[in-house]
Each structure stands twice: as structure tokens, then as C-alpha cells.
Amino acid sequence: MLSDGEAKELLSFLTLEMRADVKGQATGYILGLTGNRDGCRYLRSKPDFLKALVTLTRDPSIAIVKDCYHALINLSADETLHQPLVKETDLLAILFQNLLDPEYMFADRICTILSNLSRHERTCRDVFSALQEQKIGLDKVVEIFCTEGFNKKASLHYLGPLLSNLTQLPEARHFILDKDRCVIQRLLPYTQYEESSTRRGGVVGTLRNCCFDYTHHEWLLSDAVDILPYLILPLAGPEELSEEENEGLPVDLQYLPEDKKREDDPDIRKMLLETLMLLTATKVGRQIMKNKNVYPIMREFHKWEKDPHVISACEKLVQVLIGDEPEAGMENLMEVEIPKDVEEKLKELDTKEQEQMEKDKQESEKQLNESPEGLER
């Protein structure tokens, strides 16, 4: 890496006052450093370089600003740089200030950096606190996310993963689940947002996190929110159900057209199933889902699904839907205390299941790769 003298000289080029050509070469060099782990770790110990990058996001040269944001995206992808970025610079304040500008052309890069920084709880708290300190709040983020075309120069799809990350915090979930704000109702339609799997996945992740708060399950499943169709419709296909099965379903899930397509991202399908599984944790949740006739949709989905991890998640949900009710005192599955030895055994079995699924997947891919050319696969 750079000697102390070289680092000092390079830093002197990274100022707003420096000539554009010299500054451009310097930011290009820093961007190159952020392209590998060693470079990122070197910059972790150089907070002055981090501050300079943040300052230069205000540079009049679009090319220099672009390089700075690209470098900050690379740095924020490394968890070990999260605390230096938020503690040693005024990065968060600048990002949120620019995010609010509907004309700001680098807003998508801002969303990506915020999404990266909020992945882990410690820095996620810093991001959430900065929202409050900047007098912005989560309500403004949701408003921007739900306003189509808020920024004509940016899609803002990565606000979805940001919301998902923020809802790992109880205070963020409390806001989303506030019955007087109607926030969660605004997010529900995005489970079927065709233009972006990033936005869809972010919303589904947000809903999944919110469903860990089982005290809200009955409200979420009630007509006030009606979360169920938004979770099940992406998993439903064109298969023809019997009249009796259709009649038992919510209206939005009845008699689906022949060209009905399922969610094409297996990770999102798995999250949808995990969210439904969380809603079965309470007795009232299980009863509502059984009364709404969820099982036939899951039965047909299981026949269609090919991804082993998604199949496993589906099978766990089906077991609950068609199984007997737990014995008295164990109705709330989130409050059941599992003996330590049983918990360890379950973890061991889950690990083995994951390993077997990976092995089966690799075998399947190997067989496909070995298929002779010219034959249909």
C-alpha cells in the first residue's frame, strides 16, 4: 500500500479546491483501492480518506461524484468499514439530505449505500438514529418509497431492502405496525411489483420481519389489513381448483386466469413462505389460515416448485396447515420453551437437511452439465 508520504500527498489532491483533472485521477485511484478487500481494509485505518470521499460527493464534477459514490458503495459492502463510515464522517446526514432531493441524480447509489450499512444491527441503529436526528423519520422514507416517480432520475428500488433491514429493530417494526398510520397497507401491493425484484424482495422482507411480532397477527390477518392475499397470490399458479376449494378462498385468490404466473425469484418465494409460517405461530393465525383454505394453493405450489430450499419451507408450512393443533399450553409456538438438548438436536437435523439439499442441488447441476450436446435437457 501507500507510504505515509504518498498517502499524505494523495490526500492533498482530494479537496473541493483541487484542479478537476488532478482530483479525478486521485478519486480514480481510491476507487481502484476499494475494488478489493485489502484496499478497503487499508482505507479503514485512514478516516481522512473516508471524510474526503464524503466531502467530494458535493464536487461540481459529475464524474468525480460518481467515482466517490461508487467507492462508498464498495466500502459499505465491507462490514468492517460500517462503523468508521458512520462514526468518522458525516456520511449519513449527507446521504439523507440528498435522498430528499427529487432532482438528485445519484439517489439510487445513496439507497444502495444505506441498504449496505443497515444490514447488521449495530450500524442499522446508527442509520435509524440518523433518520430521527435529521428530522426525516421512517414515515418520510415510506412516503418516498410509495410515491411513484418521486425522483425522475432514480428508481429508488433499494429503499425496499433498506426498509427490510430497518425492521430488524423493534422500534422500526412498531412504526410499520402502528394501526393509526396505515403504513403496512401501503406496502402490501409491492409484493407483486413486476418492475423490480429488489423492491418486491425488500417489501416481503419487511413483512416477514414485522410478523415476528405475533401480538399483531390477528390484526394483520383481519379485514383491516388483509395481508393473506398479498402473501399467497405471488405463490399461486394457473392450476384449476375444484369449485369447493375456490369458494373457500379469499375472493382475490378465486378462479385465477390460465396465464397466472408465480413469483420467479426463489429467495422471495422462500421469504413469502416463511412469513406465512410465522403467521401460523398463534392459534388464531392457524385457524384463520385454515378457514381461508390456504392448503390447496400450497398443495399445487409444492407440485410446481423445483428449488429444494423453497420446497422444504413449503413442506413445513403444509405440515402446520394439515396437522393437529398443539396440546393445551403450547398454542403459541413462539412462546414454547424448547429443552436445550432438543434444541441442539433440531439444529443438527436442520444443518444436515441443508447439507443434503446442497448436495442434491450440486448432483442435479452436474447431471445437467454432463448431458450430451444436441439432446433436450
Side-chain angles (χ1 to χ4, degrees), residues 147-271:
T147 304
E148 198 77 29
F150 172 83
N151 187 325
K152 298 290 190 297
K153 300 173 182 177
S155 68
L156 306 180
H157 292 325
Y158 271 88
L159 283 181
L162 173 62
L163 286 172
S164 178
N165 293 342
L166 289 172
T167 51
Q168 67 185 290
L169 305 176
E171 48 268 59
R173 294 197 299 273
H174 179 75
F175 171 82
I176 299 287
L177 292 165
D178 188 331
K179 295 179 182 179
D180 296 324
R181 291 182 185 270
C182 290
V183 176
I184 203 158
Q185 291 94 326
R186 295 183 72 182
L187 296 177
L188 289 175
Y190 290 100
T191 63
Q192 298 163 83
Y193 187 81
E194 292 182 1
E195 285 80 0
S196 169
S197 61
T198 300
R199 187 175 282 247
R200 285 200 311 277
V203 167
V204 173
T206 301
L207 298 178
R208 181 185 61 178
N209 288 346
C210 288
C211 285
F212 278 99
D213 290 350
Y214 64 83
T215 54
H216 292 87
H217 283 185
E218 189 168 2
W219 174 68
L220 289 169
L221 290 162
S222 72
D223 291 340
V225 180
D226 199 23
I227 194 173
L228 210 51
Y230 295 97
L231 298 175
I232 296 177
L233 200 54
L235 301 173
E239 295 83 8
E240 194 173 328
L241 301 178
S242 70
E243 192 166 335
E244 184 181 352
E245 287 172 336
N246 265 305
E247 291 300 326
L249 287 165
V251 174
D252 291 340
L253 297 168
Q254 292 180 6
Y255 303 102
L256 297 175
E258 292 179 4
D259 60 352
K260 171 67 175 70
K261 289 183 171 61
R262 291 183 169 92
E263 167 60 56
D264 58 9
D265 187 315
D267 291 331
I268 297 178
R269 295 199 298 272
K270 186 169 179 282
M271 282 196 292

Side-chain angles (χ1 to χ4, degrees), residues 30-210:
I30 295 291
L31 176 57
L33 279 180
T34 66
N36 62 77
R37 183 178 175 182
D38 289 340
C40 286
R41 299 295 163 91
Y42 171 75
L43 291 170
R44 181 180 65 187
S45 64
K46 302 289 182 185
D48 286 343
F49 280 102
L50 302 180
K51 290 174 187 173
L53 280 175
V54 173
T55 299
L56 288 176
T57 59
R58 301 198 303 269
D59 197 83
S61 165
I62 290 175
I64 287 171
V65 175
K66 186 177 180 180
D67 277 356
C68 289
Y69 272 119
H70 194 166
L72 288 167
I73 288 172
N74 291 345
L75 292 167
S76 65
D78 185 332
E79 185 191 349
T80 66
L81 273 122
H82 286 184
Q83 283 299 300
L85 282 169
V86 301
K87 298 297 187 187
E88 303 285 349
T89 77
D90 55 354
L91 175 65
L92 291 177
I94 288 173
L95 293 183
F96 282 125
Q97 180 185 350
N98 289 331
L99 180 64
L100 295 177
D101 181 357
E103 299 292 325
Y104 197 67
M105 68 186 299
F106 296 106
D108 277 336
R109 287 175 171 81
I110 287 175
C111 295
T112 304
I113 295 167
L114 290 171
S115 175
N116 285 345
L117 290 174
S118 58
R119 282 180 307 179
H120 302 282
E121 185 178 350
R122 185 181 178 190
T123 317
C124 184
R125 288 198 173 279
D126 293 318
V127 173
F128 188 75
S129 296
L131 264 177
Q132 316 305 316
E133 290 163 8
Q134 295 297 311
K135 303 287 191 291
I136 298 169
L138 201 50
D139 53 341
K140 187 63 179 178
V141 176
V142 171
E143 182 186 327
I144 292 172
F145 179 77
C146 294
T147 304
E148 198 77 29
F150 172 83
N151 187 325
K152 298 290 190 297
K153 300 173 182 177
S155 68
L156 306 180
H157 292 325
Y158 271 88
L159 283 181
L162 173 62
L163 286 172
S164 178
N165 293 342
L166 289 172
T167 51
Q168 67 185 290
L169 305 176
E171 48 268 59
R173 294 197 299 273
H174 179 75
F175 171 82
I176 299 287
L177 292 165
D178 188 331
K179 295 179 182 179
D180 296 324
R181 291 182 185 270
C182 290
V183 176
I184 203 158
Q185 291 94 326
R186 295 183 72 182
L187 296 177
L188 289 175
Y190 290 100
T191 63
Q192 298 163 83
Y193 187 81
E194 292 182 1
E195 285 80 0
S196 169
S197 61
T198 300
R199 187 175 282 247
R200 285 200 311 277
V203 167
V204 173
T206 301
L207 298 178
R208 181 185 61 178
N209 288 346
C210 288

